[in-house]
Amino acid sequence: MKPFVEDSIERYAHDLTQSFGALHDELREYTLAHVPIPQMQVGRVEGRLLKMLASLCGARRILEVGTYTGYSSLCMAEALPEDGEIITCDHDETVAKIARSFFDRSSHGHKIRIKLGDGLETVRALDASPFDMAFLDADKSRYPLYYDEIIPRLRPGGLLVIDNVLWSGEVLDPKTDDARGIVEVGRRVHADPRVENLLITVRDGVLLARKLP
Ligand SMILES: C[S@@+](CC[C@H](N)C(=O)[O-])C[C@H]1O[C@@H](n2cnc3c(N)ncnc32)[C@H](O)[C@@H]1O
């Protein structure tokens, strides 16, 4: 990923952002050492942002698309009450197994349920119980389809967070299906009267869409 902010400034922001503790650090190191494309992990700053957003919207139920090795799930789980729930989906059994092994060691792991399979099919098969928050971080070319499925499943006032909406700057001149999916979801959110929205330039870009009450 091309950095938008100088490495030294990213480091400063990272160091002045509260750590999540030893298990998160171990998961980060394990992923870096053993799993392909470790930069997919959201990391401390975006992880803190997700946790804070979950706390601020009083989340009890969260939907996540894109578990990978479980870092973002663990961050958001910390904001949930004891009986809260994250449903997170991924189609890669290998990363899901790593995620599960770390969830099992976390005091918040019991709140996280992994659904293995295609993310869009998983979301479409969910029952009608509303979510307070959703984090979309997989399958970029189909972001618009996920958007159409997720907004009706959010409670009024609920928050959708979409990751990588700058796609290292390719959104300005999209050449791939992933970039085109990201651009299309940005347009769709911006034109949607059901939500208020904000694109923040944290990391690779994070789009917030809050469903209007
Ligand atoms: C960017 S990573 C998620 C990173 C994670 N949120 C974190 O912070 O550690 C994207 C994940 O989405 C998964 N994925 C990609 N396409 C998918 C699809 N169609 N259905 C389900 N999962 C998918 C990949 O296997 C990968 O683990």
Side-chain angles (χ1 to χ4, degrees), residues 51-196:
K51 180 183 173 186
M52 203 172 280
L53 291 170
S55 298
L56 289 171
C57 69
R60 304 184 68 85
R61 273 193 102 223
I62 297 176
L63 170 66
E64 176 180 64
V65 184
T67 316
Y68 190 48
T69 55
Y71 191 95
S72 48
S73 312
L74 275 179
C75 297
M76 294 186 286
E78 286 193 8
L80 295 181
E82 271 307 297
D83 62 348
E85 177 185 48
I86 296 182
I87 293 176
T88 181
C89 37
D90 207 293
H91 63 182
D92 181 340
E93 208 168 335
T94 307
V95 290
K97 212 167 145 196
I98 297 167
R100 175 43 61 203
S101 72
F102 278 85
F103 298 163
D104 287 346
R105 294 169 56 203
S106 163
S107 55
H108 302 279
H110 63 282
K111 304 171 192 170
I112 308 170
R113 198 143 58 91
I114 301 176
K115 286 190 176 267
L116 205 55
D118 178 68
L120 193 57
E121 283 173 25
T122 303
V123 173
R124 284 179 173 156
L126 291 169
D127 67 25
S129 315
F131 290 92
D132 304 297
M133 179 171 160
F135 179 47
L136 181 52
D137 188 20
D139 202 7
K140 318 293 172 186
S141 65
R142 295 197 292 174
Y143 265 6
L145 300 178
Y146 286 94
Y147 181 71
D148 291 345
E149 295 293 336
I150 290 173
I151 290 295
R153 290 177 167 83
L154 281 182
R155 68 155 161 85
L159 183 69
L160 170 61
V161 181
I162 308 179
D163 202 16
N164 303 109
V165 290
L166 296 175
W167 209 231
S168 302
E170 201 194 317
V171 287
L172 298 182
D173 183 15
K175 292 185 172 16
T176 58
D177 286 346
D178 284 343
R180 282 187 279 271
I182 290 166
V183 167
E184 174 53 27
V185 85
R187 284 199 195 114
R188 208 169 283 199
V189 170
H190 195 55
D192 189 345
R194 296 172 298 174
V195 300
E196 62 172 331

